[in-house]
Amino acid sequence: MTRQDKDLPAGSFAIVTGASSGIGLELARCCAAKGCDLLIAADEPEIEAAAIELRKTGVDVRAIQVDLSTLEGVDRLVAACAGRPVDCLLANAGRGLGHGFLDENFTQAKLVLDTNVTGTIYLIHQVASHMRARGQGRILITGSIAGFMPGSYQAVYNGTKAFLDSFSMALRNELKDSGVTVSCLMPGPTDTEFFERADMLDTKVGQGKKADPAEVARIGFEAMLDGEGDVVAGWKNKLQVAMAKVTPASLLAEQHRKMAEPGSAKP
Ligand SMILES: NC(=O)c1ccc[n+]([C@@H]2O[C@H](COP(=O)([O-])OP(=O)(O)OC[C@H]3O[C@@H](n4cnc5c(N)ncnc54)[C@H](OP(=O)(O)O)[C@@H]3O)[C@@H](O)[C@H]2O)c1
């Protein structure tokens, strides 16, 4: 594998998806702090406010409002690069969904699948092929420690993150001699809009202690610069992942139920 410098060369260009809030906004701030020009994307108009803030650092920032659950939305994002080579792709956009699977609105469940899985890997497919042709590039995928646990009352979401955690390591292996690195950031519960948007504020995990998104993003960004394969943010989460690897799946599903079942926040 071609060794990449830890620092990004001047004039580097990064795409950050889901950059309007939470971990993605913090990842975009990390890129901007390194002098990296940005193309940032999200589904709502708030992405423009993020761009205004990020431009104050002096880097060139373009914002695009696109639905990354659709192939058309991903095509629009790729077209917005206008042929500029992408040095870093931070594929972070994602959404959760609480409640029992049969009680979820299927359209919402499909949106989780289409955003977290189909849109994410289509974007990577489009951008990484150019990186491979150039013999250089960095990809950071936001997976989750949720990918290690069958997610009772969050079943579709955890399934999408299991997919991404696995996909990331497989793609990394396929690209190991190409000069393109693939890293996976696996956060645990993080203090963003995620739980409110997933309608999980009445759950134990929704009400529990959470990590600072700026710290989570810093850990992921550094892992990407170092070309690491995967990084679990926070020692408690590292412990949880280690335990999950030796715990029967049925027990993990039962543990997940206790923290994600609607109403589980009650004492
Ligand atoms: N928070 C946690 O506890 C946690 C833990 C592990 C992993 N993660 C992962 O971290 C990533 C970021 O989530 P977050 O916690 O920072 O939550 P967040 O604050 O809700 O941010 C999610 C971002 O993704 C964007 N997004 C969602 N669906 C989109 C779509 N269809 N098209 C375009 N953009 C879309 C959102 O933009 P709009 O608002 O415009 O839709 C927003 O910018 C997700 O992949 C999530 O699964 C979060």
Side-chain angles (χ1 to χ4, degrees):
M1 179 170 47
T2 312
R3 182 117 183 93
Q4 306 197 46
D5 292 334
K6 178 164 177 174
D7 262 334
L8 297 169
S12 292
F13 175 51
I15 297 177
V16 186
T17 67
S20 59
S21 63
I23 297 168
L25 177 56
E26 297 296 345
L27 286 170
R29 285 176 178 151
C30 291
C31 293
K34 287 277 182 193
C36 196
D37 291 339
L38 284 164
L39 173 60
I40 57 172
D43 195 23
E44 305 286 339
E46 282 74 16
I47 195 65
E48 292 296 340
I52 290 167
E53 182 220 294
L54 291 163
R55 280 184 199 119
K56 290 181 185 153
T57 63
V59 298
D60 184 52
V61 183
R62 287 195 58 198
I64 182 163
Q65 196 185 330
V66 277
D67 181 358
L68 295 173
S69 72
T70 67
L71 301 189
E72 297 74 26
V74 173
D75 284 338
R76 283 187 54 216
L77 173 59
V78 173
C81 295
R84 184 168 177 183
V86 180
D87 299 290
C88 305
L89 170 62
L90 296 89
N92 163 82
R95 53 179 68 238
L97 187 62
H99 296 275
F101 173 61
L102 296 182
D103 301 321
E104 288 172 354
N105 173 316
F106 190 75
T107 305
Q108 290 297 311
K110 185 172 178 297
L111 186 59
V112 172
L113 207 54
D114 291 345
T115 305
N116 299 6
V117 176
T118 311
T120 299
I121 67 165
Y122 181 50
L123 175 62
I124 292 168
H125 194 267
Q126 298 301 297
V127 174
S129 53
H130 292 286
M131 287 179 169
R132 183 175 63 175
R134 289 172 65 218
Q136 65 180 82
R138 293 179 163 97
I139 299 169
L140 180 69
I141 298 172
T142 306
S144 173
I145 66 163
F148 292 96
M149 293 164 248
S152 318
Y153 295 101
Q154 219 180 348
V156 173
Y157 174 74
N158 283 38
T160 65
K161 291 296 165 173
F163 179 99
L164 286 181
D165 293 351
S166 166
F167 171 83
S168 172
M169 198 48 81
L171 183 64
R172 175 182 178 80
N173 180 270
E174 289 182 19
L175 295 179
K176 69 179 180 180
D177 297 318
S178 70
V180 180
T181 57
V182 183
S183 309
C184 188
L185 168 62
M186 299 172 182
T190 305
D191 194 8
T192 68
E193 295 171 16
F194 177 89
F195 291 97
E196 186 181 348
R197 300 177 71 174
D199 195 16
M200 292 182 70
L201 289 183
D202 65 341
T203 65
K204 202 170 169 188
V205 63
Q207 289 294 323
K209 196 170 171 342
K210 298 189 184 62
D212 174 4
E215 179 62 5
V216 169
R218 185 191 61 75
I219 289 167
F221 185 72
E222 287 189 359
M224 181 189 76
L225 290 188
D226 288 340
E228 285 173 28
D230 53 31
V231 61
V232 175
W235 69 266
K236 275 191 186 163
N237 297 323
K238 284 187 172 64
L239 191 64
Q240 200 175 345
V241 167
M243 292 299 292
K245 286 179 177 166
V246 294
T247 305
S250 58
L251 190 56
L252 291 172
E254 188 60 28
Q255 286 171 355
H256 203 279
R257 162 190 281 262
K258 291 191 176 108
M259 62 180 186
E261 187 169 11
S264 55
K266 292 193 193 100

